[in-house]
Structure formats: structure tokens, C-alpha cells
């Protein structure tokens, strides 16, 4: 029996999904992130090894039975000077597996659109848009990282905006809303500047922890906080702008399927409504068919020369 493995490595976690050649999902396991820019090269290999070992033990199969693996790795291919070190980490971490590596945006696109032409917008810890048309032409927009205030519309960007708004409300540049009281109460700030101790000393400016503030933004927006609602409107506009830029770069025809992936979309209409409002008229917003790790399975099958039939897609849908 042949098996196919999809690995989706985002800014927060890495998911491993194993399926048989008919598209039946055999096993899902998780490990820590394998984003080398966050954790360093050594942990990339060890986190992959841990995930693979867990997968093999859970599924009761041997490495040799996995025909092809596709790994979508956060930040892959973006800094050319790092390429050799990244490849060495992947070979060590995936030792014995026949694998193809690409940026994690490929898993998002392949999963959300089941490998069909269109554009996927990722909004997780980071953000990026990736599209592929019927001629197999590719385009991406965004994905520059969080270092300079980029990764617009991402969970980190939303979390950072939330913190910025607190500082403005604290020192009087903006009127206080329930956002201010929420921060003081939930983070037990005896003094507003205790926020700096929380961020710098306790959280160590951890990108993942700041991204998790997106959940706070969601709670505040659901309670009707205008500032939080405005942040989501701005995030929707930023994400739509990336998609629209892709539409203008290559030919998609009169209608282009646009789907999405990443944790920010767990906020539902808070992000989807504003994004839809700003999207190009030709964009047809489509709920994702699969999560990114299954997108990796589809890519693994494709790179192995296996036609991903409707039957395979149906099996993936039944067992995801």
C-alpha cells in the first residue's frame, strides 16, 4: 500500500497528515513549529523527527511505505542565503523520506482549493496570498515577515494593533473603550506601564504570544468594541488588497475562486465580511475545502505523478 504525507509548518505549529492512495486519511499528528527563523536550525530537524516518529508509531506503518511527502515550510525560499542550511535541516529531519519542499503558502492554496486554479489568502501568525491559474502561472503577494510592521492582516499584526491602541488610550491620544479595561483587568496591570513588563520580560516579545492577542481582539469585537471592529475592518482590507494585487498580476478570467486559511479566519464574519467588501468584483469567495496539511497530501500525490481524481477528493472529504 502506498501512502502520502502532507506536512504544514506554520508560525505556531506543524501538522502531519498521512493518507493512503485512495485518499483515506490514516493519521494526523502535531509537533512544534518548524519555522527556522523563530526557533533556529537545530530545532527544525528535531521537531520534524519528533513528528515523524509520532506519525509512524500512531499509524503503524513503515517509512518505506510513504511514497511521497510534501512539506510546506514557513519562510521557505524567502532568504536565499539560508537555503543550504534549511535543506540540510530538512534532510536530517525527514531522513529516509522521499520529499519535496515548498513554502507553506502552497499547502494553504492546495488545501483550500483542492489543487484547482485560484487564490488562497493565508492569515495565521503571518499573512500571504498565493495564486495559480489554469496555465499553471504562479503569483504571490505579501509574506514579508513581521519585522517592519508587515504581514498585514495577520494574527500578529492584529495583536500588535491591539497593543498599540491600548497605549494610545492609556496616555490620552485616544478615548478609552472597553479595550482599555479589558487589558487592565485580564493582564492584572497595577500600572499601565506594567504592559511593558508583560511584553518584554514575561513574553520575551514572543511572536506567537502576541499573535494570540487576536483572540482578545475577537472577544472585544464580539462585545461591540469599536476599536476592535475597526482593526478587523483594516485587516480585511489589507488581506483583500493582497488578493486583488494577485488578480491584477496574472490572468484568472472573469471569475476567480478565492479561498482562505489560517487561524484569523476562526473569527468568522468579523474578518470575512470586511475582506469581501474590499475584494475585486471578479473574486468569488469560497470556503476552504481542506486544511493546509491535506493540501500537502494533494501536492505529494501530484508530485508523485498520481492524478488527484474526484474519487480521491471525496475520500479526503469523508475522512478529514
Amino acid at each position: 500500500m502506498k501512502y502520502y504525507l502532507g506536512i504544514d509548518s506554520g508560525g505556531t505549529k506543524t501538522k502531519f497528515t498521512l493518507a493512503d492512495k485512495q485518499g483515506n486519511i490514516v493519521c494526523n499528528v502535531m509537533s512544534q513549529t518548524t519555522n527556522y527563523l523563530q526557533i533556529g536550525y537545530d530545532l527544525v530537524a528535531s521537531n520534524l523527527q519528533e513528528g515523524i516518529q509520532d506519525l509512524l508509531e500512531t499509524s503503524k506503518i513503515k517509512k518505506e511505505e510513504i511514497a511521497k511527502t510534501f512539506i510546506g515550510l514557513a519562510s521557505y525560499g524567502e532568504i536565499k542565503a539560508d537555503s543550504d542550511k534549511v535543506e540540510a535541516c530538512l534532510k536530517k529531519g525527514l531522513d529516509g523520506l522521499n520529499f519535496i519542499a515548498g513554502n507553506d503558502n502552497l499547502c494553504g492554496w492546495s488545501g483550500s482549493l483542492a489543487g484547482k486554479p485560484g487564490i488562497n489568502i493565508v492569515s495565521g501568525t503571518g499573512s500571504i496570498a498565493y495564486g495559480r491559474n489554469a496555465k499553471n502561472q504562479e503569483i504571490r503577494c505579501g509574506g514579508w515577515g513581521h519585522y517592519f510592521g508587515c504581514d498585514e492582516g495577520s494574527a500578529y499584526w492584529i495583536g500588535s494593533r491591539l497593543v498599540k491602541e491600548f497605549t494610545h488610550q492609556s496616555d490620552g491620544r485616544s478615548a478609552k473603550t472597553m479595550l482599555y479595561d479589558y487589558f487592565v483587568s485580564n493582564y492584572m496591570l497595577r500600572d499601565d506601564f506594567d504592559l511593558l513588563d508583560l511584553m518584554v520580560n514575561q513574553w520575551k516579545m514572543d511572536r506567537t504570544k502576541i499573535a494570540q492577542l487576536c483572540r482578545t481582539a475577537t472577544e472585544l469585537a464580539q462585545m461591540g468594541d469599536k476599536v476592535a471592529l475597526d482593526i478587523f475592518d483594516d485587516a480585511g482590507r489589507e488581506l483583500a488588497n493582497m488578493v486583488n494585487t494577485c488578480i491584477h498580476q496574472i490572468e484568472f478570467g472573469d471569475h476567480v475562486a478565492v479561498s482562505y486559511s489560517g487561524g484569523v479566519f476562526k473569527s468568522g464574519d468579523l474578518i470575512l465580511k470586511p475582506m469581501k467588501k474590499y475584494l475585486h468584483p471578479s473574486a468569488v469567495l469560497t470556503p476552504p475545502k481542506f486544511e493546509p496539511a491535506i493540501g500537502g497530501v494533494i501536492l505529494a500525490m501530484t508530485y508523485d505523478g498520481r492524478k488527484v481524481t474526484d474519487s480521491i477528493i471525496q475520500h479526503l472529504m469523508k475522512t478529514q
Side-chain angles (χ1 to χ4, degrees):
M1 173 70 77
K2 275 189 175 183
Y3 295 92
Y4 294 92
L5 177 58
I7 306 174
D8 174 53
S9 168
T12 304
K13 63 183 184 299
T14 302
K15 183 166 185 179
F16 302 72
T17 295
L18 184 71
D20 65 22
K21 64 182 181 181
Q22 280 83 33
N24 299 300
I25 295 176
V26 175
C27 183
N28 287 296
V29 301
M30 307 281 285
S31 78
Q32 299 299 310
T33 180
T34 46
N35 184 340
Y36 76 96
L37 292 177
Q38 288 181 220
I39 63 174
Y41 296 105
D42 291 341
L43 281 177
V44 171
S46 61
N47 286 350
L48 285 174
Q49 289 168 345
E50 179 184 321
I52 295 298
Q53 185 62 33
D54 190 9
L55 180 91
L56 296 175
E57 290 175 358
T58 304
S59 63
K60 309 298 184 187
I61 72 160
K62 298 177 181 178
K63 265 188 185 180
E64 306 82 68
E65 296 178 272
I66 302 176
K68 201 80 168 182
T69 296
F70 184 88
I71 177 169
L73 190 69
S75 304
Y76 182 87
E78 294 172 354
I79 303 177
K80 303 303 181 188
D82 295 345
S83 296
D84 289 345
K85 290 182 179 178
V86 172
E87 293 297 336
C89 289
L90 292 177
K91 287 178 182 177
K92 182 178 180 181
L94 301 174
D95 182 42
L97 290 174
N98 182 0
F99 72 90
I100 297 285
N103 195 281
D104 61 334
N105 62 54
L106 292 174
C107 286
W109 167 81
S110 176
S112 68
L113 295 166
K116 303 297 183 183
I119 298 168
N120 177 67
I121 179 73
V122 178
S123 182
T125 309
S127 63
I128 186 170
Y130 173 85
R132 190 181 293 189
N133 64 15
K135 297 178 181 178
N136 220 29
Q137 295 173 313
E138 300 174 278
I139 187 69
R140 65 171 272 175
C141 182
W144 289 94
H146 67 289
Y147 311 102
F148 317 109
C150 300
D151 273 354
E152 296 88 346
S154 69
Y156 179 87
W157 185 89
I158 290 170
S160 297
R161 279 284 304 274
L162 206 66
V163 173
K164 179 180 178 180
E165 291 296 337
F166 174 82
T167 67
H168 283 209
Q169 292 186 18
S170 173
D171 63 22
R173 281 176 286 177
S174 299
K176 286 184 171 66
T177 68
M178 65 178 75
L179 181 157
Y180 175 83
D181 292 329
Y182 187 102
F183 264 76
V184 171
S185 174
N186 282 268
Y187 298 111
M188 295 177 286
L189 306 180
R190 292 169 297 178
D191 179 278
D192 288 359
F193 276 94
D194 286 345
L195 180 71
L196 294 178
D197 178 63
L198 176 68
M199 296 286 163
V200 177
N201 293 325
Q202 297 179 46
W203 288 8
K204 308 296 184 185
M205 292 304 293
D206 187 304
R207 179 182 177 226
T208 300
K209 288 187 180 296
I210 294 170
Q212 288 171 352
L213 287 173
C214 183
R215 298 173 189 169
T216 299
T218 299
E219 290 178 25
L220 287 166
Q222 288 171 339
M223 291 187 288
D225 184 87
K226 184 182 183 304
V227 171
L229 288 166
D230 286 346
I231 289 173
F232 274 105
D233 190 79
D234 290 345
R237 183 176 63 247
E238 293 287 358
L239 297 175
N241 185 38
M242 283 186 265
V243 172
N244 296 343
T245 301
C246 289
I247 290 173
H248 291 305
Q249 295 293 319
I250 61 175
E251 178 59 45
F252 283 100
D254 294 335
H255 303 287
V256 52
V258 175
S259 197
Y260 46 88
S261 57
V264 170
F265 291 103
K266 291 179 181 178
S267 60
D269 284 344
L270 285 173
I271 190 66
L272 289 172
K273 280 188 175 181
M275 188 173 79
K276 189 173 183 180
K277 177 174 67 174
Y278 295 112
L279 279 174
H280 190 275
S282 68
V284 180
L285 196 60
T286 306
K289 290 183 170 59
F290 302 109
E291 60 182 31
I294 296 180
V297 170
I298 292 171
L299 288 167
M301 289 182 174
T302 302
Y303 280 111
D304 195 46
R306 185 170 185 80
K307 181 177 173 58
V308 182
T309 62
D310 290 342
S311 174
I312 289 173
I313 295 298
Q314 288 301 317
H315 278 98
L316 287 169
M317 285 183 171
K318 287 178 183 177
T319 56
Q320 71 171 323

